[in-house]
Amino acid sequence: MKILFLGGYGVFGGRLAELLADRPDLELLICGRDRQRAEAFCAAYRGDARVVPVALDRRDIADALAAHKPALVVDASGPFQDYGADRYRVIEACIAAHVDYLDFADAADFVFGVDGFDPAAKAAGIFVISGVSSFPALTAAVLREMARDMDIRSVEGGIAPSPYAGIGLNVMRAVVGYAGAPVKLRRDGKDAHATGLAESLRFTVAVPGRLPLRNIHFSLVDVPDLQVLPREYPGMTDIWMGAGPVPEILHRILNILAKARATLRLPSLEPFSRLFYAVLNRMKFGEHRGGMFIRARGLAGDRDVERSWHLLAEGDDGPYIPSMAVEAIVRKLLTDDRPAPGARSAVEALSLDDYDALFARRSIHTGFRETRPDDLIYRRILGSAFDTLPPRIRDLHVSSGRRRWAGEASVVRGRGLVARLAAMIVGFPETADAVPVTVTFDPEGNGERWTRDFGGRTFSSLQSAGTGRNDCLLVERFGPAAFAMALVVEAGRLHLVPRRWTLFGIPMPRRLMPGGPSFEEEIGGVFRFNVEIRVPVFGLLVAYRGTLQPVEIS
């Protein structure tokens, strides 16, 4: 099968070629205006697919189709916002040549207008599918899954790329181009406009039981979902989609510029796109992880519901997600599973099962959450992962009433000045090989107080479910210090991983945050705990481990 890639050596086209590298039955025409770049890409390509460099300007697509006779054209060039009056030239040429067509279009107006070619595409017996990428193919697949048992009324979503993922110049041109410009969307049940990159929200991407992303600042972007998804859900009154690029300081500069352009009626910021492109691709620090979320509110029967879908991508796997939709369709074509003829957006192109099959081969994890205010602390934070915990761990966290567990523990306390001061302030126990321990759990406000007694030496902390920037984290307060921790389920253990901390309500540097391996587990039907607290530079404060079993409170 021969496929012509427009923008084949670019960010999305290049990654798609990599995803299809295992298919010797494919011939990939790597096309672009710069033949040297096409040749360099093909020379460096490693895979079983055959790659051929082709110098091609999209204006000459009709001649290229006649000369190369591909079975499929994939337009991965862009920016689709800049195609001008003749923006559907490639689609028209494909219909005339009876060649199937897919694209990565992220321009809402472009994708929305593709339906106009439906009669011609059907007459030619080909498919023309636009927006075959995360927005809207993946978002639509998620919403279809949610809509099985809820009537969707409002939708919010966002994508947060890893700071190490890199961003193409054409993508940067598109984003900077609509910064401060009107963006069409659905709001309060009416077609409306908002200002690109001038509206923001914060969200924590948190797949149940996995280490969440840090709470991220998302800003409104102009993507096809804003126009094509409301057509699929007549009851939808509101939709909002954002992006959360990091570093946040650069993102906020874009917010300020977008608001200034809208307020002062300034010209497009696109001339600054190369500057932002250069800076963003050099400021690479933080966690090499990315994510995505979709949050929907609506009705399930007569009950108000809020559900969210979360995606986490580790390391270098995240940047491949936008290209996976086209990959999935190509793989289906190779098994004679063809999309129906016609021209349309990609909202029905793939199911969530199609994506899950691709994600399973990489370090990409997904999960659903449903907000239930009456859930207990640990179940609220862990979501569906709570039910995967060993029975004894669940038992410890399943009640909201006063209760007590008792057992035996060993304690090692640090010897330094900081360790002694911490022990004096908090009440950490003395070093001991075997000491009786009891933990009493008492409801307190929206949280639960844990009072620990190690052989007569007591100290307590207050645990609660985090909100705001601590959303999806467990917050534990020891006097003036508060620690926000992720609850991570791995190999039958419940790990508590520190993510943020404050002192007297003031955020403190992460590099000074106390931490250490802390987890709960079940061995032989017995609950076991392991807590270790170390401070950078100063070393061990305290470590204690032991067993607990429920006892009656007299």
Side-chain angles (χ1 to χ4, degrees):
M1 179 181 178
K2 184 186 291 186
I3 307 176
L4 188 153
F5 284 14
L6 282 170
Y9 50 75
V11 172
F12 297 122
R15 287 171 181 159
L16 176 60
E18 290 182 52
L19 291 172
L20 297 171
D22 64 316
R23 299 300 308 227
D25 47 355
L26 289 179
E27 180 179 351
L28 310 179
L29 305 182
I30 305 301
C31 303
R33 287 176 292 183
D34 190 329
R35 183 175 184 83
Q36 288 187 331
R37 291 183 64 188
E39 290 175 343
F41 178 89
C42 293
Y45 186 77
R46 296 292 178 267
D48 296 327
R50 180 170 177 250
V51 291
V52 179
V54 177
L56 176 62
D57 189 299
R58 61 182 300 104
R59 291 174 297 184
D60 302 321
I61 184 63
D63 292 340
L65 295 179
H68 296 286
K69 296 181 171 52
L72 172 69
V73 167
V74 176
D75 191 348
S77 53
F80 289 81
Q81 290 88 345
D82 290 349
Y83 282 178
D86 199 16
R87 57 184 175 176
Y88 294 117
R89 173 193 293 264
V90 177
I91 290 177
E92 292 168 341
C94 286
I95 292 173
H98 297 256
V99 175
D100 294 318
Y101 169 94
L102 302 171
D103 70 40
F104 284 81
D106 60 350
D109 286 338
F110 182 95
V111 176
F112 190 76
V114 166
D115 285 8
F117 294 94
D118 188 55
K122 287 178 177 175
I126 67 166
F127 60 81
V128 172
I129 306 178
S130 186
V132 191
S133 192
S134 304
F135 293 135
L138 179 51
T139 51
V142 171
L143 289 175
R144 273 199 307 279
E145 192 68 24
M146 289 184 175
R148 290 176 182 271
D149 59 355
M150 72 177 287
D151 180 14
I152 295 173
R153 298 297 174 87
S154 69
V155 174
E156 294 169 328
I159 188 166
S162 162
Y164 299 89
I167 185 170
L169 179 56
N170 284 337
V171 173
M172 196 76 253
R173 282 174 176 155
V175 172
V176 176
Y178 60 68
V183 171
K184 298 177 185 176
L185 44 65
R186 189 79 171 162
R187 181 163 285 174
D188 297 327
K190 302 175 182 177
D191 292 334
H193 289 85
T195 304
L197 292 182
E199 295 184 1
S200 301
L201 62 79
R202 300 198 72 92
F203 193 87
T204 299
V205 178
V207 173
R210 294 194 173 271
L211 185 71
L213 294 185
R214 302 194 187 280
N215 185 257
I216 291 175
H217 176 82
F218 292 87
S219 295
L220 177 67
V221 291
D222 186 16
V223 291
D225 310 56
L226 300 177
Q227 295 189 45
V228 299
L229 288 179
R231 293 190 304 188
E232 304 296 314
Y233 300 95
M236 185 183 295
T237 61
D238 294 86
I239 185 168
W240 191 98
M241 291 287 161
V246 289
E248 189 171 317
I249 182 63
L250 185 65
H251 185 167
R252 288 188 175 276
I253 290 172
L254 264 175
N255 293 153
I256 293 170
L257 291 174
K259 292 174 183 178
R261 178 190 175 190
T263 302
L264 303 176
R265 301 183 182 276
L266 300 175
S268 171
L269 302 174
E270 187 175 345
F272 298 100
S273 57
R274 280 193 175 274
L275 174 62
F276 278 98
Y277 166 77
V279 173
L280 191 63
N281 282 294
R282 283 169 174 78
M283 296 182 71
K284 298 180 178 181
F285 51 84
E287 297 177 332
H288 190 8
R289 315 169 70 222
M292 181 176 174
F293 80 93
I294 301 295
R295 178 168 59 190
R297 297 180 177 92
L299 295 172
D302 58 355
R303 180 172 62 93
D304 290 329
V305 293
E306 178 182 310
R307 292 178 182 154
S308 57
W309 174 87
H310 302 245
L311 176 149
L312 286 171
E314 305 290 350
D316 292 325
D317 286 337
Y320 289 95
I321 294 174
S323 301
M324 286 183 174
V326 175
E327 177 200 4
I329 294 175
V330 170
R331 292 186 183 276
K332 285 172 177 275
L333 288 171
L334 294 172
T335 62
D336 294 324
D337 183 358
R338 284 180 54 82
R344 56 196 177 273
S345 75
V347 294
E348 295 184 356
L350 296 170
S351 70
L352 201 53
D353 287 341
D354 292 326
Y355 270 105
D356 287 340
L358 298 173
F359 295 161
R361 303 196 308 235
R362 296 180 177 271
S363 188
I364 300 173
H365 312 283
T366 65
F368 286 92
R369 289 179 173 271
E370 181 169 339
T371 300
R372 295 187 176 95
D374 55 341
D375 274 348
L376 300 178
I377 297 170
Y378 278 69
R379 182 179 287 278
R380 190 183 315 168
I381 296 167
L382 283 166
S384 58
F386 184 86
D387 295 321
T388 69
L389 293 171
R392 272 311 192 195
I393 299 179
R394 291 202 307 271
D395 290 345
L396 185 91
H397 301 294
V398 79
S399 175
S400 61
R402 190 170 196 262
R403 61 203 188 281
R404 180 173 294 153
W405 286 49
E408 188 175 78
S410 62
V411 182
V412 177
R413 206 168 79 181
R415 298 179 179 178
L417 175 61
V418 173
R420 292 197 298 271
L421 286 173
M424 181 177 65
I425 294 170
V426 178
F428 291 141
E430 300 280 356
T431 297
D433 290 332
V435 60
V437 58
T438 62
V439 183
T440 304
F441 308 88
D442 290 292
E444 184 175 317
N446 293 324
E448 186 173 69
R449 182 162 296 279
W450 290 35
T451 303
R452 305 159 179 88
D453 185 322
F454 286 80
R457 179 104 178 193
T458 65
F459 68 99
S460 71
S461 63
L462 180 64
Q463 293 190 358
S464 61
T467 58
R469 295 202 180 198
N470 293 329
D471 191 31
C472 296
L473 300 176
L474 176 72
V475 177
E476 186 161 20
R477 291 175 173 83
F478 294 86
F483 303 89
M485 298 174 287
L487 300 182
V488 178
V489 180
E490 186 175 342
R493 288 177 170 176
L494 176 60
H495 296 264
L496 290 83
V497 182
R499 300 293 278 169
R500 302 181 69 240
W501 72 301
T502 61
L503 195 59
F504 295 101
I506 302 171
M508 303 301 290
R510 283 196 290 267
R511 63 180 177 273
L512 299 179
M513 181 165 56
S518 297
F519 57 85
E520 301 172 354
E521 62 182 344
E522 177 185 316
I523 298 179
V526 176
F527 176 90
R528 293 181 177 271
F529 60 88
N530 185 100
V531 176
E532 185 175 316
I533 305 174
R534 292 181 176 273
V535 177
V537 179
F538 299 104
L540 179 69
L541 295 185
V542 69
Y544 49 90
R545 64 185 63 187
T547 62
L548 290 173
Q549 297 197 58
V551 296
E552 299 226 357
I553 300 178
S554 57

